[in-house]
Amino acid sequence: MRHIRGASAVVAASFAAALVPLPSTAASELAPGHPGKGIVLSGTPASEAGLAVAAAGDVNGDGVGDVIVGADGTSGPGGTGAGAAYVVFGGDDRTGIDLADLGDSGFAINGAAAFDVLGWSVAGAGDVDGDGLDDV
């Protein structure tokens, strides 16, 4: 994983056949050594999206690993700098994902108050509640 302010690329070299092309030259810079392969997760530069990225396990139970992306600079419902973390569902049909518009590709967890900086650090937690799905 490599970060350019506001964007990240997730590259899984061992699954190269299932990876999709990176959509731009700047995106290719995110994945040196894996030219043109990976998934770009984009946020705004001010969001600092991608400074914290972790494997989340299989959060949605589809058998494919998911990713959690921190964006501690995000300003949203909680106010300036409340931050956010985005759970992005894995899959082989991705060409790039806008974290601000995940749709069915995942979900956001937003900071509750200004300067919470939620997303400064992110991690998968395993199946904490015993429901068979991984938690974050």
Side-chain angles (χ1 to χ4, degrees):
M1 195 285 301
R2 185 159 177 215
H3 172 262
I4 291 178
R5 190 172 181 165
S8 295
V10 177
V11 177
S14 62
F15 299 106
L19 295 175
V20 297
L22 294 175
S24 70
T25 302
S28 295
E29 293 174 17
L30 290 165
H34 305 282
K37 299 292 183 185
I39 300 169
V40 175
L41 309 174
S42 301
T44 64
S47 72
E48 295 294 343
L51 286 177
V53 178
D58 185 9
V59 175
N60 62 342
D62 65 354
V64 179
D66 306 317
V67 178
I68 184 166
V69 179
D72 65 329
T74 298
S75 295
T80 301
Y86 301 93
V87 175
V88 180
F89 302 141
D92 60 1
D93 61 347
R94 308 285 193 254
T95 56
I97 295 177
D98 179 357
L99 296 173
D101 186 24
L102 285 172
D104 293 337
S105 297
F107 61 90
I109 304 166
N110 294 302
F115 306 107
D116 275 354
V117 294
L118 189 141
W120 183 78
S121 178
V122 296
D127 183 8
V128 176
D129 57 6
D131 66 356
L133 301 173
D134 289 313
D135 303 305
V136 293

